[in-house]
Amino acid sequence: MQSYTIGQAAKLLGVSPDTARRWADAGRFTTHRDDGGRRLVDGRDLAAFAVELGQGDEAEGESSYTSARNAFPGIVTAVKLGDIAAQVEIQAGPHRLVSLLTREAVEELGLEVGMQATARVKSTSVHIDRP
């Protein structure tokens, strides 16, 4: 399972590292330390928190997380596979994006809950990238 540093988690949540640190200190999401002493967040825990955050008005007065060229970096919060098609949900700061794509594309990208991905929007299509 992928883990994220506080800085990476903050970027995915669309907040400052200080805000993410305060939320972790307050117990809003769980962290652990790696062998080097860095504070890490498990991808599944971060995905669950991102969904919770996106459902409420908890951006603490900060503006919406947007990007030039219609790219929304975030964290995968759900993957639903059918026989041929699939549905992938990404929480990018306060934005929840849903993409319908082929099962084959999801498998080729190795998409799973808790991993970082970028949704790219063009007109009515949402495309998923992964770093």
Side-chain angles (χ1 to χ4, degrees), residues 17-81:
D18 286 336
T19 297
R21 216 173 276 111
R22 281 193 304 274
W23 286 345
D25 290 344
R28 301 213 31 213
F29 58 85
T30 305
T31 62
H32 62 278
R33 299 217 181 249
D34 67 4
D35 294 336
R38 293 183 314 162
R39 215 167 160 187
L40 300 176
V41 183
D42 178 74
R44 288 193 181 273
D45 292 341
L46 186 59
F49 181 71
V51 169
E52 175 187 324
L53 190 63
Q55 291 174 346
D57 185 22
E58 304 194 30
E60 296 184 1
E62 296 179 18
S63 62
S64 296
Y65 184 74
T66 61
S67 172
R69 296 188 292 261
N70 302 321
F72 295 86
I75 188 167
V76 176
T77 58
V79 176
K80 298 173 186 162
L81 296 174

Side-chain angles (χ1 to χ4, degrees), residues 4 12-13 17 20 27-28 36-37 45 59 67 73 77 79 82 91-92 99-101 105-106 113-114 116 124-125 131:
Y4 299 92
L12 292 170
L13 295 171
R28 301 213 31 213
D45 292 341
S67 172
T77 58
V79 176
Q91 192 72 40
S99 179
L100 300 176
L101 56 166
V106 171
V113 172
Q116 183 177 352
T124 59
S125 299

